[in-house]
Amino acid sequence: MTIAGARRKVPLWLATVALAAAGLVACNSEGSGAHPADESVGASSGHPNIVWVLTDDLSSDLVNYMPHVKAMQKAGLSFSNYTVTDSLCCPSRSSIFTGKFPHNTGVFTNTPPDGGFQTFHDKGNEDKTFATALKKQGYRTAMMGKYLNGYQPDMTLDGEKNYVPPGWDEWDVAGNGYKEYDYTLNQNGRTVDYGHDPKDYLTDVVNAKGQDFIEKSVQDKKPFVLDISTFAPHGPATPAPQDEGKYKNLKLPKPPAFDRTPTDAPQWLKDKKAFTPQQIEKITKTYRKRVRAVQAVDRMIGDLQEKLKKEGVYDNTVFAFASDNGFHMGQYRLMPGKQTAFDTDVNVPLVVTGPGVERGATTGAVASNIDICPTFTELGGGTPDPSTDGRSLVPLLKGETPKDWPQTALVEHHGPNTSPQDPDKPRKDSGNPPSYEALRTRQYTYVEYKNGSHEYYDRSKDPDMLHNVYAGLSSDTKSQLAASLAKLQDCKGSKECSAAARVDG
């Protein structure tokens, strides 16, 4: 069945999703309701395969240079209000895997004691991911590329040498793969060193491995979920060999917020000076490198799609693309970086194609990375566990918005980031805000810093977030915002968190 035909004929997975196991098999399920391991549940029930391509530090403006992603936008559903729980790799990815806010995963940063892979592991999060849920549903599962900050391919953990987390049938994961060369992969419990030859370029390596995984899964007649998480375009944003000479004269985008600070900016931001010509040139060079770096990612998307078609499973595969966080490039007088509550950093692309998914549409419904795990779980025939904070996006994929759908996304950030071991430690003048929590709705962004300062941007009137109007809000409005934030940052489970995320509830 073609994607276009999905609008006329209900896919089998949608017709049978209500017939999932009687027990809970979910993002953080302990295994109740699991089918016998020798049953190919997904194949027998018609549930779709899932391909999840997650980039690192990709900002929305880079999509303009990714033709396969733009084609996905025409073929599927785009989310204009998709928000990450923090503009930082490890907490964001932890939320994706588990469907939980940082205050429930315990992962707020990239390094211990309040973040990183070790914290994620120690708090038991690895037993409660979409991989463990889908594996129990009979899926073959694969993780390739970047996992969580602090994970090392050759590490020994819980007595296991070259540790591989539970739930994954195929594991091809690097530790430090930011340079795209000279890295080590843990390949199913065996470490393999890669060098600096063109064939060792990491994005191309996982591209090939992903295609191989698809082929073997189809041969075995098993439904599958493939998670390919690239290091690109995270710095140093190394391009593939064939892209090194491209975009040499590309102009730097200068949106309204470029080289400007908001009115009544918070203390950490308000004293930023106007850029020098040298700083603008540095930002421009970084931007060009990032555009070059995503070319291999875009080609990989096209290659994976072609492989799915060749194997005859494209029409029964949900294909999703997103980023773990955004990235500012000169906005608000900040050198390239992230970790702020501005839309440049927390509002990232999410595009989904597949059977039953609306074609060429955009939804403005509030969505968050805590929704990915329950979505994959439901797509695979499981029932999202109520202890998961997020909600399945499946109704939105079908063009429906439930009446009780969340209206607010939560962002939680611990800062300033000063760890010398962190590859995301902000560079000079790139922005390093103190700890904050933020609410992001379709209309506004509210930020509450631990040091007592506040921001409120009415994005319906000020989409570039250049006017902090918090001081002019009524005392009742300020109290309501503080109360709403307090509810969300303490919530646990989808029912409680969904209620806390309702403006009217």
Side-chain angles (χ1 to χ4, degrees):
M1 181 181 66
T2 63
I3 295 177
R7 300 187 63 152
R8 298 184 295 271
K9 182 179 179 182
V10 177
L12 183 57
W13 70 267
L14 282 178
T16 59
V17 72
L19 302 178
L24 295 176
V25 180
C27 304
N28 52 354
S29 168
E30 294 298 331
S32 57
H35 291 260
D38 59 351
E39 289 189 26
S40 181
V41 179
S44 63
S45 64
H47 295 293
N49 307 303
I50 301 168
V51 175
W52 172 237
V53 175
L54 182 69
T55 52
D56 193 345
D57 286 6
L58 182 135
S59 49
S60 297
D61 54 6
L62 294 181
V63 172
N64 295 327
Y65 301 93
M66 304 181 74
H68 288 103
V69 176
K70 294 178 74 173
M72 286 181 65
Q73 293 174 328
K74 294 180 180 179
L77 181 66
S78 299
F79 290 75
S80 61
N81 281 303
Y82 177 66
T83 306
V84 297
T85 52
D86 188 18
S87 180
L88 191 61
C89 297
C90 203
S92 176
R93 290 165 187 262
S94 298
S95 291
I96 290 170
F97 282 126
T98 65
K100 293 185 176 183
F101 286 120
H103 68 259
N104 288 326
T105 64
V107 180
F108 290 91
T109 67
N110 288 341
T111 56
D114 62 346
F117 162 72
Q118 192 67 52
T119 299
F120 185 82
H121 172 81
D122 291 347
K123 292 186 177 294
N125 290 299
E126 287 186 303
D127 296 321
K128 308 169 184 179
T129 67
F130 65 76
T132 58
L134 289 172
K135 187 174 176 62
K136 291 166 187 172
Q137 288 296 100
Y139 275 66
R140 290 191 75 215
T141 61
M143 173 73 213
M144 301 180 181
K146 179 178 178 177
Y147 184 44
L148 297 171
N149 296 76
Y151 174 83
Q152 296 299 329
D154 61 350
M155 70 192 314
T156 298
L157 194 61
D158 298 338
E160 179 183 338
K161 186 179 180 181
N162 301 339
Y163 176 77
V164 176
W168 301 101
D169 295 308
E170 178 77 19
W171 183 261
D172 301 296
V173 173
N176 185 353
Y178 295 102
K179 296 186 295 182
E180 299 282 350
Y181 295 105
D182 302 315
Y183 56 89
T184 299
L185 280 186
N186 181 325
Q187 297 181 179
N188 300 316
R190 180 174 63 94
T191 56
V192 179
D193 294 329
Y194 288 77
H196 208 86
D197 292 334
K199 64 181 176 63
D200 296 321
Y201 186 77
L202 180 54
T203 300
D204 291 346
V205 169
V206 294
N207 180 354
K209 289 183 178 295
Q211 293 181 60
D212 184 60
F213 174 78
I214 291 171
E215 182 175 336
K216 290 180 179 178
S217 298
V218 173
Q219 289 175 351
D220 293 342
K221 298 181 180 180
K222 298 278 286 185
F224 59 85
V225 56
L226 170 60
D227 181 334
I228 291 191
S229 296
T230 68
F231 284 82
H234 191 292
T238 304
Q242 62 265 50
D243 301 315
E244 290 178 354
K246 296 179 179 178
Y247 303 107
K248 289 184 176 181
N249 299 312
L250 186 65
K251 291 185 178 181
L252 174 69
K254 295 182 179 179
F258 186 84
D259 202 14
R260 293 178 61 187
T261 54
T263 57
D264 200 19
Q267 184 64 43
W268 70 270
L269 179 62
K270 69 178 183 179
D271 293 329
K272 297 293 182 183
K273 297 180 180 180
F275 289 137
T276 64
Q278 291 77 15
Q279 287 178 309
I280 293 178
E281 178 61 23
K282 185 175 182 179
I283 297 172
T284 302
K285 289 182 178 179
T286 300
Y287 182 72
R288 292 169 181 166
K289 290 175 63 177
R290 286 167 54 79
V291 172
R292 294 184 195 111
V294 296
Q295 299 310 300
V297 178
D298 192 67
R299 280 195 301 272
M300 180 182 73
I301 290 172
D303 290 343
L304 293 172
Q305 291 170 333
E306 287 303 312
K307 186 63 175 180
L308 292 167
K309 293 174 183 177
K310 181 179 179 180
E311 297 298 328
V313 294
Y314 179 80
D315 292 335
N316 191 42
T317 299
V318 171
F319 200 117
F321 167 83
S323 179
D324 59 355
N325 51 256
F327 206 74
H328 52 257
M329 293 289 297
Q331 294 93 330
Y332 315 107
R333 288 187 176 165
L334 295 174
M335 294 296 285
K338 50 191 176 182
Q339 305 191 40
T340 79
F342 291 113
D343 272 7
T344 52
D345 297 7
V346 300
N347 177 216
V348 300
L350 173 63
V351 188
V352 184
T353 66
V357 179
E358 279 206 297
R359 185 180 177 91
T362 298
T363 176
V366 171
S368 176
N369 53 355
I370 58 170
D371 302 326
I372 299 301
C373 180
T375 300
F376 290 172
T377 299
E378 182 172 354
L379 287 172
T383 302
D385 193 304
S387 67
T388 299
D389 301 331
R391 292 273 295 268
S392 170
L393 299 172
V394 167
L396 300 183
L397 297 180
K398 297 187 293 180
E400 305 167 1
T401 304
K403 292 183 179 180
D404 65 342
W405 192 257
Q407 298 171 303
T408 310
L410 173 68
V411 181
E412 301 179 295
H413 180 74
H414 282 191
N417 184 345
T418 58
S419 172
Q421 288 78 36
D422 190 348
D424 288 326
K425 178 185 176 182
R427 296 186 177 184
K428 182 180 180 182
D429 298 322
S430 68
N432 196 359
S435 294
Y436 66 81
E437 282 81 32
L439 301 177
R440 186 180 182 278
T441 72
R442 294 177 66 163
Q443 289 79 31
Y444 67 81
T445 295
Y446 167 68
V447 189
E448 190 174 285
Y449 292 91
K450 291 299 184 183
N451 63 11
S453 60
H454 300 80
E455 291 175 281
Y456 183 93
Y457 300 95
D458 183 351
R459 299 193 331 275
S460 65
K461 301 176 182 178
D462 177 27
D464 296 294
M465 302 176 71
L466 286 169
H467 304 285
N468 176 19
V469 297
Y470 178 80
L473 299 178
S474 69
S475 57
D476 285 346
T477 298
K478 291 178 179 178
S479 296
Q480 290 171 3
L481 288 168
S484 295
L485 180 57
K487 286 182 180 180
L488 261 180
Q489 68 185 64
D490 290 334
C491 75
K492 292 184 178 181
S494 60
K495 182 177 180 180
E496 185 178 321
C497 291
S498 290
R502 294 286 301 177
V503 174
D504 55 7

